[in-house]
């Protein structure tokens, strides 16, 4: 379905599987089925993770602008993601629990809530379905049983594995050189038959620690927990069926996680699950990728510095999702300034204009060409300087903002407390709840410096101009 008048504006998306740009058509007339690999909730999301979900948000808004209803499913990985992609190491959830001396369930709940709050702060639309791996253990067991019946599995001392040699197409998504990988291997395979084989079910050790016992289920093969890849195959099928339109993740998923999801689905159903596979490139800092275990910046760190979350959204839109992006504080401040200038301009223009049809088509053409947000932003600035009358400029830019999601209508000089001040105050409130008095004091000082004072009361806090 395409509501755009201009036929050259038909939506085109880059499919990693076919390595090219292809016109998008959905399996059903006006609904798009979209599956997104969600976060592993053992720690706070960093802004690199958030860049990935912002790309998904733009995809969703562009699909909706094309007249589709989007069934958007995202999982929460709360078990099974090991610290090594080679199926060894500790479960990330258990590591998080051990390090923070809390239960794995508490850790999952806390970091899931923190992640969802970040999504909201960046105005990322909520998925239609949010599904947790731990709530779909039966579906995962059933999936593994189906693979077992078809002869794709084998058992080792530590689990049930998928035999990738049984599938000729294994690794096509990543264009893996299987023979080369196998020949060059010098690693200990444990009990695995081939380097690329992966765990479907891991057995819990006999002498499980108390923390390990929190994440164990019985299965036809013994007590343990599912591998990471099976959760996405089981949950995507449960909510979207055997075949759906688009599967999204970060670029690191191409070689292992998505290659393995495809293998599972081909093993069970003889076909891969999605028509389009889309991947967002990484956010980097000083040439290094951001990662939860390495260098990492959180949205809350930026908010504490007085940055409005939507300035980060603006910054992300300045680079295409398929390019690596370098994060810099200087660029973030320029984005904050640009956002402010736009809001000031729009607030000074009269309402009740109409959307310019030619510019509307130009905008649609840009975002429909594989979500070209940098050029869409450039067009927006061109509109501000165009010959259009002010009310029409305003209406046209607000039309663009439905996809960009920058709240450009927000009045920058309104008497209301700005969003980023409120968020700082909320962070301070959280610090008080956590009894982190030092952080609470630092945030109070910071708010004072920005011209706002906080009065605490039994019901919460009040905030006003100094
Ligand atoms: P995780 O919570 O580690 O499972 O990651 C959640 C999502 O963020 C995945 O889709 C990753 O591919 C993606 N991701 C991880 N690091 C980065 C990064 N530096 N830049 C962009 N996306 C990332
Ligand atoms: Zn996944």
């Amino acid at each position: 379905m395409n509501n755009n008048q201009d036929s050259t504006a038909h939506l085109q998306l880059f499919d990693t599987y076919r390595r090219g740009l292809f016109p998008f058509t959905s399996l059903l007339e006006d609904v798009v089925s979209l599956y997104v690999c969600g976060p592993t909730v053992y720690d706070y999301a960093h802004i690199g993770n958030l860049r990935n979900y912002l790309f998904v948000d733009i995809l969703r808004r562009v699909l909706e602008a094309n007249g589709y209803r989007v069934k958007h499913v995202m999982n929460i990985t709360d078990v099974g993601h090991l610290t090594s992609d080679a199926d060894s190491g500790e479960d990330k959830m258990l590591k998080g629990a051990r390090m923070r001396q809390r239960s794995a369930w508490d850790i999952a709940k806390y970091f899931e809530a923190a992640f969802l709050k970040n999504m909201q702060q960046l105005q990322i639309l909520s998925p239609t379905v949010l599904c947790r791996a731990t709530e779909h253990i039966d579906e995962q067991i059933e999936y593994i049983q189906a693979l077992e019946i078809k002869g794709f599995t084998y058992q080792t001392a530590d689990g049930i594995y998928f035999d990738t040699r049984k599938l000729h197409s294994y690794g096509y998504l990543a264009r893996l050189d299987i023979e080369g990988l196998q020949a060059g291997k010098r690693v200990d395979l444990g009990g695995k038959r081939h380097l690329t084989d992966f765990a479907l079910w891991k057995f819990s050790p006999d002498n499980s620690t108390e923390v390990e016992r929190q994440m164990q289920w019985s299965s036809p093969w013994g007590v343990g927990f599912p591998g990471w890849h099976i959760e996405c195959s089981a949950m995507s099928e449960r909510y979207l069926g055997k075949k759906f339109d688009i599967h999204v993740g970060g670029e690191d998923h191409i070689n292992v996680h998505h290659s393995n999801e495809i293998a599972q689905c081909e093993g069970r159903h003889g076909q891969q699950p999605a028509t389009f596979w889309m991947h967002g490139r990484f956010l980097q800092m000083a040439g290094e990728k951001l990662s939860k275990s390495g260098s990492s910046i959180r949205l809350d760190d930026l908010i504490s510095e007085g940055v409005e979350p939507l300035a980060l959204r603006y910054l992300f839109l300045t680079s295409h999702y398929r390019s690596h992006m370098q994060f810099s504080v200087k660029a973030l401040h320029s984005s904050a300034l640009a956002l402010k200038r736009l809001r000031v301009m729009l607030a000074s223009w009269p309402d009740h204009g109409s959307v310019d049809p030619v510019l509307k088509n130009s905008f649609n053409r840009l975002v429909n060409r594989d979500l070209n947000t940098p050029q869409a932003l450039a067009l927006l600035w061109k509109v501000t300087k165009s010959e259009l009358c002010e009310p029409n400029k305003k209406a046209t830019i607000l039309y663009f903002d439905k996809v960009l999601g920058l709240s450009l209508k927000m009045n920058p000089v309104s008497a209301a407390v700005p969003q980023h001040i409120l968020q700082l105050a909320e962070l301070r409130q959280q610090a008080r709840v956590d009894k982190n008095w030092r952080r609470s004091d630092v945030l109070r000082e910071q708010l004072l410096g920005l011209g706002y004072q906080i009065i605490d009361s039994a019901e919460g806090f009040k905030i006003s101009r100094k």
Side-chain angles (χ1 to χ4, degrees), residues 35 37 75 228 232 247 257-258 261:
Y35 185 86
C37 288
N75 69 304
W228 174 33
C232 287
H247 195 312
H257 183 52
H258 288 171
E261 267 188 60

Side-chain angles (χ1 to χ4, degrees), residues 131-240:
C131 41
R132 297 174 191 88
T134 52
E135 290 171 4
H136 295 80
I137 299 292
D138 288 349
E139 286 91 336
Q140 296 177 72
I141 291 176
E142 190 213 316
Y143 211 111
I144 301 169
Q145 284 178 308
L147 290 173
E148 191 173 39
I149 291 167
K150 298 219 162 171
F152 283 99
T153 65
Y154 62 91
Q155 182 161 345
T156 72
D158 78 353
I160 305 295
Y161 281 79
F162 188 101
D163 188 341
T164 52
R165 278 300 173 102
K166 297 246 163 97
L167 207 61
H168 295 303
S169 54
Y170 180 78
Y172 181 76
L173 175 76
R175 308 294 192 265
L176 289 182
D177 169 15
I178 306 291
E179 298 302 329
L181 276 175
Q182 201 67 24
K185 72 167 198 270
R186 285 216 178 76
V187 288
D188 175 12
L189 291 185
K192 285 200 313 192
R193 291 181 187 161
H194 317 105
L195 190 63
T196 46
D197 294 355
F198 56 90
L200 296 163
W201 187 263
K202 292 276 278 187
F203 300 135
S204 299
D206 289 337
N207 53 347
S208 298
T209 62
E210 197 187 319
V211 174
E212 282 168 339
R213 280 197 292 277
Q214 292 166 6
M215 290 272 151
Q216 293 182 346
W217 291 264
S218 44
S219 79
W221 313 281
V223 173
F225 57 91
W228 174 33
H229 319 296
I230 198 72
E231 70 175 81
C232 287
S233 292
M235 291 191 280
S236 61
E237 181 166 335
R238 157 86 197 269
Y239 293 103
L240 298 174

Side-chain angles (χ1 to χ4, degrees), residues 307 311-312 314-315 318 328-342 381:
V307 174
L312 185 68
Y314 185 104
L315 177 67
T318 62
S328 85
V329 172
K330 197 168 156 212
L332 180 62
H333 286 151
S334 305
S335 294
L337 210 63
L339 191 57
K340 194 167 170 198
R341 274 182 58 205
L342 283 172
W381 281 100

Side-chain angles (χ1 to χ4, degrees), residues 391-402:
N392 287 1
K393 279 189 199 179
K394 185 169 183 173
T396 305
I397 289 176
L398 289 178
Y399 169 80
F400 295 0
D401 199 31
K402 284 191 204 152

Side-chain angles (χ1 to χ4, degrees), residues 38-40 46 48-49 52-53 249-250 252-253 281-283 290 292:
T40 311
H46 56 65
N49 301 131
N52 185 63
Y53 297 105
D252 58 328
H253 287 167
R281 286 283 176 105
F282 271 12
L283 181 70
L290 271 101
K292 286 181 186 164

